[in-house]
Amino acid sequence: MAGAESNNGSAQRGDTLPNGDVYVGNFDGLVPHGMGKYMWTDGSLYDGEWDKSKMTGRGMIQWPSGASYEGDFRGGFIDGTGTFKGVDGSVYKGSWRMNKKQGMGTMVYSNSDSYEGLWNEGLPDGYGKYTWAAGNIYIGSWKSGSMNGRGVMQWVNGDTLDCNWLNGLAHGKGYCKYASGACYIGTWDRGVKDGHGIFYQPGSKIPCNLEVSECATNNDGTSASSSSNEKVKVGLLFLLQNLCNKWGLRRFFHRPRRISNGTTPIFVDDSGNHSPQDPPNKSLSSNERLQNSDVHKDLVYEREYIQGVLISEHPKGKHSGMLDSGETQENTWQKQERGPMETIYKGHRSYFLMLNLQLGIRYTVGKITPVPLREVRSNDFGPRARIIMYFPCEGSQYTPPHCSVNFFWKDYCPMVFRNLREMFHIDAADYMMSICGGDSLKELSSPGKSGSIFYLSQDERFVIKTLRKSELKILLKMLPKYYNHVKAYDNTLITKFFGVHRITLKAGKKVRFVVMGNMFCTELRIHRKYDLKGSTQGRSTKKQKINENTTLKDLDLAHAFHVDKSWREALFRQIALDSMFLESQSIIDYSMLLGIHFRAPNHLKTATSHQDTHESSGITSAMDCSVPLHCEDANSSKGFLLVAHEPGTTVGGSHIRGSMVRASEGGYEEVDLVLPGTGRFRVQLGVNMPARARKLLESTDAVEEYDVVLYLGIIDILQEYNASKRVEHAVKSLKFDPLSISSVDPNLYSKRFVSFLERVFPEQD
């Protein structure tokens, strides 16, 4: 081709390259440099700036498919800002990095949906606004293309939802305000109502002292970010979000009509329009209540849902009539607003204690892990089996500098607990990251009966409990026998201990800790928790103190649980072995902690619960989101299914150990539990165990049945039957039946404990 001299002085010519590509433009020597056009053999064309053979600067590229991009290039990649037009008619305008959407950008999809916000690796990620063609709007957080985190959904019919989201589904506590003026404050699990909540009739006084989301709506019902200058406003929302998260400024932007911190379920009506609505109420529908007198119009109702099915409803403050007799939900929302736990922050009363604990565990686990694994010896349990270290703020030869207070650290029997962690399949790196990673621990809002304080790792795999000195002595005394017991019995139900430590502050204050496994670390919602000892004296919960987070007691239990015959035999074989061990150590006051996840009862199912309900946002195919099921299979009579175990397909527990149970229903093979709309779980003794809960209804012979998933384990095993307990037994026996009180001889305690559980888990007829 003929060459020519360009305005910038570089040679301009056209060349056909050896591979068949064609370039016409400016050169610097032998490489493209300046303005030029490049055509690939497949028909793709680039017209723009070059820098030393790399597409760099402004340019436009067109593909044979019809897609095109015009904007910035850098180093041969789409990088900077530009506009991409897809073959399907979609248009993206915004930032790019290395050929992927990255940063702030706006996408208009082929179906006229649009997204404006932050992108990461080509997907919505961060804070953004999604507008459906029908007019529905979501403003909030995204992660990897799905709604994740805090956000507000508003529908064209005027309904508004302010909540947290998980993988595109409402998940947690939340607030839904309807166009009619009614609202519901409650809890959702993966897009369906699940748990306790409060329903306010239109015109009722709604609480206004609740945290407000930054993406609130205006009084006229339009989105707060809807304005003529949309880009500027959304950008300001992003900045406000970051500032609020960083400096805790949400309280200064309080508005009385909006709350956040929760979720709501969304159903799809027959017309395909997305709108939040309550499942039909069999006892009294919302429409029926609206037609009542003015007196009834102002009533506030407490509700309980299980897997999207309304179980009970009653005026707030009245008897609940819920699953278990005697339960009420006084001031439910007010009691649960802060939740059962709080993350420890800088300035929290436990902040420095948490830092010290994390520093100490990181030090000792890091020190013991490189030591070759070996069988424990007798001296590994002795008084000299300790690691003691001083942690000054400025650091030392052996410890790093830190921003906490000076403290002494003592780690008890490190080799024993290292082996126990190995025995329970706890990876050392995962253990340290869970407890000592960048996240803070969470403190339970109320201490235990003994005055102990409980902490949870952020991933909730581990529970950390403060110990009294007497409890520490008992644990160290029984540790050799405990080690042998859990080693011999893989399926033991006894509490799993992973470490015992002590922190001594400069003032001489000593705080002792034990790290344990959290048996309720599961993806399933635990609807009821029971602490069962087998005694009756004082073993009920005061009705006015019951809320969603309450652990109930023996006399509160109104259900019997029927499990597979082979499972029941294995369960009581292990309970007997564990009870015999505790009896041999003169331990009493232990209990069976029972967690129950209820599946929606079949006799309360509605037509809605048998539909393939879409996830609440209704993300279109352009977002490539799947649509899970929130109901049981219409052809199944159970809320779960047992299938042959397939390694690698199940949801793992926090620290599952032991052999899998075999089910007669599955041909006595190892089985997995399949919960439609939730997942597949590995079934073991005390973990993910499906059962049938039966309750005899009051004043009738009718039986109410539920499909449930059970979690159980023996806890509180650090109380000896000592002199003080003997005195307690003698004193209480003067007033109460000696067999009904908790403090009894270990042998009697063990027999009573097993006998009571046999009634809780009766043999099937």
Side-chain angles (χ1 to χ4, degrees), residues 582 586-590 716-722 725 742-747 749:
L582 296 173
S586 297
I587 300 297
I588 63 168
D589 271 352
Y590 52 89
D716 294 339
I717 64 169
L718 299 179
Q719 178 59 60
E720 275 187 326
Y721 188 61
N722 50 24
K725 286 294 180 180
S742 178
S743 182
V744 295
D745 175 83
N747 178 265
Y749 193 99

Side-chain angles (χ1 to χ4, degrees), residues 178-199:
Y178 303 96
S180 65
C183 74
Y184 179 77
I185 302 173
T187 310
W188 288 262
D189 182 73
R190 294 177 181 84
V192 295
K193 290 187 178 77
D194 199 31
H196 300 282
I198 299 179
F199 180 79

Side-chain angles (χ1 to χ4, degrees), residues 24 32 63 89 258-259 284 353 487 513 543 577 639 648 678 736:
V24 178
W63 288 272
R258 302 284 308 142
I259 71 164
L284 186 63
L353 199 60
K487 182 181 179 183
F513 299 93
K543 295 177 182 179
L577 290 168
T678 304
F736 307 108

Side-chain angles (χ1 to χ4, degrees), residues 381-665:
F381 297 97
R384 300 187 65 180
R386 309 283 191 269
I387 294 178
I388 303 175
M389 184 58 60
Y390 178 58
F391 284 79
C393 294
E394 64 276 9
S396 68
Q397 182 181 354
Y398 304 102
T399 63
H402 58 86
C403 56
S404 184
V405 296
N406 299 340
F407 68 98
F408 283 93
W409 172 262
K410 179 183 280 191
D411 187 75
Y412 295 90
C413 306
M415 183 57 72
V416 175
F417 287 106
R418 181 262 180 92
N419 280 24
L420 283 171
R421 291 192 295 270
E422 292 281 347
M423 202 180 293
F424 291 118
H425 306 307
I426 303 296
D427 180 75
D430 289 343
Y431 183 71
M432 284 193 289
M433 284 302 298
S434 179
I435 300 176
C436 314
D439 294 326
S440 297
L441 301 177
K442 293 184 281 190
E443 180 179 318
L444 297 188
S445 56
S446 59
K449 183 179 178 181
S450 63
S452 298
I453 300 174
F454 291 83
Y455 304 95
L456 277 177
S457 58
Q458 274 291 338
D459 58 10
E460 299 189 5
R461 292 181 63 193
F462 303 100
V463 179
I464 303 169
K465 175 188 175 184
T466 60
L467 294 176
R468 299 192 303 269
K469 185 176 181 179
S470 59
E471 292 176 320
L472 174 62
K473 288 183 176 180
I474 293 170
L475 176 54
L476 295 177
K477 177 183 174 183
M478 69 184 293
L479 189 58
K481 299 288 186 181
Y482 170 87
Y483 181 87
N484 292 332
H485 181 79
V486 298
K487 182 181 179 183
Y489 303 106
D490 287 355
N491 292 316
T492 181
L493 301 173
I494 291 178
T495 303
K496 298 175 175 68
F497 294 124
F498 301 132
V500 177
H501 318 287
R502 189 186 76 184
I503 292 173
T504 305
L505 303 177
K506 194 171 183 180
K509 180 182 178 182
K510 297 178 180 179
V511 186
R512 303 162 186 87
F513 299 93
V514 61
V515 182
M516 306 175 290
N518 177 17
M519 57 177 286
F520 290 158
C521 181
T522 171
E523 290 191 2
L524 300 182
R525 182 177 178 81
I526 303 298
H527 296 103
R528 292 287 190 278
K529 292 179 286 186
Y530 291 92
D531 182 271
L532 307 174
K533 291 187 176 182
S535 58
T536 56
Q537 183 57 44
R539 298 298 295 165
S540 62
T541 309
K542 293 182 178 180
K543 295 177 182 179
Q544 65 271 21
K545 293 185 178 180
I546 294 177
N547 61 40
E548 190 175 6
N549 305 309
T550 302
T551 300
L552 303 169
K553 300 178 183 178
D554 304 61
L555 297 179
D556 303 314
L557 184 62
H559 289 87
F561 302 96
H562 296 269
V563 299
D564 183 277
K565 182 178 179 181
S566 62
W567 296 356
R568 185 183 186 278
E569 292 173 355
L571 178 64
F572 279 96
R573 184 162 54 248
Q574 189 59 56
I575 290 175
L577 290 168
D578 291 341
S579 298
M580 287 172 58
F581 163 71
L582 296 173
E583 180 185 338
S584 71
Q585 302 301 302
S586 297
I587 300 297
I588 63 168
D589 271 352
Y590 52 89
S591 56
M592 179 68 76
L593 184 60
L594 174 65
I596 309 169
H597 169 80
F598 286 90
R599 304 302 290 174
N602 290 296
H603 69 278
L604 291 179
K605 286 192 179 300
T606 64
T608 303
S609 64
H610 284 296
Q611 297 172 358
D612 294 353
T613 56
H614 290 65
E615 51 93 357
S616 54
S617 66
I619 294 295
T620 64
S621 57
M623 301 302 293
D624 192 27
C625 288
S626 60
V627 180
L629 295 175
H630 299 308
C631 60
E632 284 96 38
D633 189 315
N635 298 321
S636 174
S637 61
K638 291 187 176 182
F640 52 77
L641 178 67
L642 293 176
V643 297
H645 173 62
E646 293 182 16
T649 63
T650 56
V651 177
S654 58
H655 26 74
I656 289 179
R657 167 182 178 255
S659 59
M660 297 181 62
V661 295
R662 299 172 182 269
S664 57
E665 184 175 328

Side-chain angles (χ1 to χ4, degrees), residues 702-764:
V703 174
E704 194 171 77
E705 293 192 350
Y706 302 85
D707 293 317
V708 297
V709 183
L710 303 179
Y711 298 83
L712 50 123
I714 299 175
I715 63 170
D716 294 339
I717 64 169
L718 299 179
Q719 178 59 60
E720 275 187 326
Y721 188 61
N722 50 24
S724 64
K725 286 294 180 180
R726 288 185 174 88
V727 171
E728 179 185 339
H729 173 77
V731 171
K732 288 187 176 181
S733 295
L734 298 175
K735 187 177 181 180
F736 307 108
D737 180 0
L739 298 179
S740 68
I741 61 179
S742 178
S743 182
V744 295
D745 175 83
N747 178 265
L748 176 58
Y749 193 99
S750 173
K751 291 179 180 178
R752 185 180 63 185
F753 179 71
V754 175
S755 177
F756 176 77
L757 292 177
E758 286 176 340
R759 296 194 297 274
V760 175
F761 297 92
E763 291 188 78
Q764 297 194 50

Side-chain angles (χ1 to χ4, degrees), residues 20 26 93 153 221 231 319 338 341 376 381-382 439 498 502 518 535 611 692 738 751:
N26 296 329
K93 295 181 181 180
M153 178 80 78
K231 255 184 194 177
H319 178 58
R338 291 181 58 196
M341 63 191 76
V376 296
F381 297 97
D439 294 326
F498 301 132
R502 189 186 76 184
N518 177 17
S535 58
Q611 297 172 358
R692 192 76 172 167
K751 291 179 180 178

